[in-house]
Amino acid sequence: RKVVMPFAIHEERMTDESAKQYALRVLKHNIMRLDMLPGEVINEKDIAAQLQLSRTPVREAILELSKERLVDVFPQKATKVSLMDAKIVEQGRFVRSTIEIAVLEKVCKNCGQLCMHKLEENLAQQKQYVEDNDLLGFFISDNEFHQLLFKAADLDTVYEVFSTYVPHFARERMLRLKMFDTTELFHDHMTIINAIKEHDMRTAQLAMRRHIDRVVCDQKILKEAFPTYFA
């Protein structure tokens, strides 16, 4: 039977994952990566069938996503992927900008040879994705780049502090990738890495601020191109 929405299982269930955790992870990834579009009706039964789960863990995952304002549940009517909310995206940009600028201060002081190797390895992957025009690959490696910075600063758990805003900000970033060239984002990352290598905190922070601000600066263009995606 045909599924009523685009839905992709990018990664299989992990051995230590509960059914609910698996459903939540896959659903969130689909929403963040725009496989499931804003305003799209969610068919609980079809998703459960694809994930080879009962409907209960899928329903629990959907309720969890509704708390994060990624899903809208209309009792007795329909469940839909939430529309993009410019206010939440802006809050996400503010939190990311504030925290990541501070993170770079630590990274510029403490990033050693192993740290640089991991960042440069990630940058090489990004370069390949840009050349292949692989938007999903670039999107994933972009996320990994930012997480690597937190690890380099020994602040892994701080990343979880703004996890509420990450999916909202990520959706708009993914939409932006569909409209704009990924090259400028790649160059932002390259500038940041080169500045870290030179222990040039100011240049790294300015490049990061510009990088994070790009999504919000282009929001008006995105709204005009995809008006039905926004609240």
Side-chain angles (χ1 to χ4, degrees):
R1 191 159 59 86
K2 189 178 178 182
V3 180
V4 296
M5 74 192 81
F7 185 77
I9 302 172
H10 295 288
E11 297 171 357
E12 296 301 321
R13 183 173 174 179
M14 299 177 196
T15 52
D16 59 344
E17 259 183 332
S18 69
K20 177 192 169 183
Q21 287 171 332
Y22 175 49
L24 181 62
R25 177 171 63 85
V26 174
L27 279 166
K28 186 178 282 191
H29 281 187
N30 270 265
I31 292 170
M32 285 171 63
R33 298 171 182 181
L34 298 182
D35 291 320
M36 294 166 69
L37 298 172
E40 196 87 50
V41 173
I42 296 174
N43 189 308
E44 185 184 294
K45 188 178 179 181
D46 282 336
I47 289 172
Q50 281 201 78
L51 295 176
Q52 298 182 336
L53 299 173
S54 69
R55 292 178 68 172
T56 300
V58 174
R59 189 177 301 117
E60 289 172 347
I62 287 170
L63 288 173
E64 194 72 33
L65 290 168
S66 72
K67 292 176 187 175
E68 295 183 36
R69 298 171 70 176
L70 288 169
V71 166
D72 293 323
V73 179
F74 303 99
Q76 312 303 320
K77 292 184 180 179
T79 299
K80 296 182 178 182
V81 178
S82 296
L83 296 175
M84 293 185 185
D85 187 323
K87 186 176 180 181
I88 296 177
V89 172
E90 167 54 25
Q91 289 175 2
R93 184 209 61 79
F94 174 80
V95 172
R96 280 197 61 181
S97 182
T98 303
I99 295 176
E100 292 200 46
I101 294 300
V103 165
L104 278 175
E105 183 176 350
K106 292 196 72 172
V107 177
C108 286
K109 289 177 182 176
N110 304 324
C111 190
Q113 199 169 5
L114 180 60
C115 160
M116 281 309 309
H117 174 71
K118 287 181 178 178
L119 287 170
E120 287 175 338
E121 194 174 53
N122 174 272
L123 192 69
Q125 287 181 331
Q126 290 181 43
K127 187 173 187 288
Q128 189 61 56
Y129 290 134
V130 170
E131 290 172 356
D132 295 343
N133 196 30
D134 183 344
L135 298 185
L136 179 57
F138 184 85
F139 177 78
I140 294 168
S141 63
D142 186 345
N143 286 339
E144 288 172 352
F145 171 78
H146 291 274
Q147 285 182 288
L148 280 172
L149 293 176
F150 279 82
K151 287 182 181 177
D154 198 24
L155 293 168
D156 309 53
T157 53
V158 176
Y159 192 81
E160 296 170 17
V161 171
F162 59 88
S163 60
T164 304
Y165 298 105
V166 168
H168 295 274
F169 195 71
R171 285 204 295 173
E172 200 156 311
R173 280 174 49 228
M174 190 63 184
L175 193 60
R176 187 190 183 282
L177 289 179
K178 292 177 182 291
M179 283 197 68
F180 297 92
D181 191 356
T182 54
T183 306
E184 61 183 8
L185 300 178
F186 169 74
H187 283 302
D188 287 345
H189 291 156
M190 189 163 59
T191 301
I192 292 165
I193 286 178
N194 289 336
I196 291 170
K197 196 183 292 185
E198 299 296 324
H199 306 287
D200 183 353
M201 182 180 69
R202 178 172 168 75
T203 299
Q205 289 178 329
L206 285 171
M208 180 63 79
R209 193 178 299 279
R210 181 177 66 244
H211 178 67
I212 292 172
D213 285 350
R214 287 193 193 278
V215 168
V216 178
C217 290
D218 295 325
Q219 194 176 78
K220 185 180 178 183
I221 298 170
L222 297 177
K223 281 182 176 179
E224 288 174 357
F226 304 97
T228 60
Y229 290 1
F230 289 85

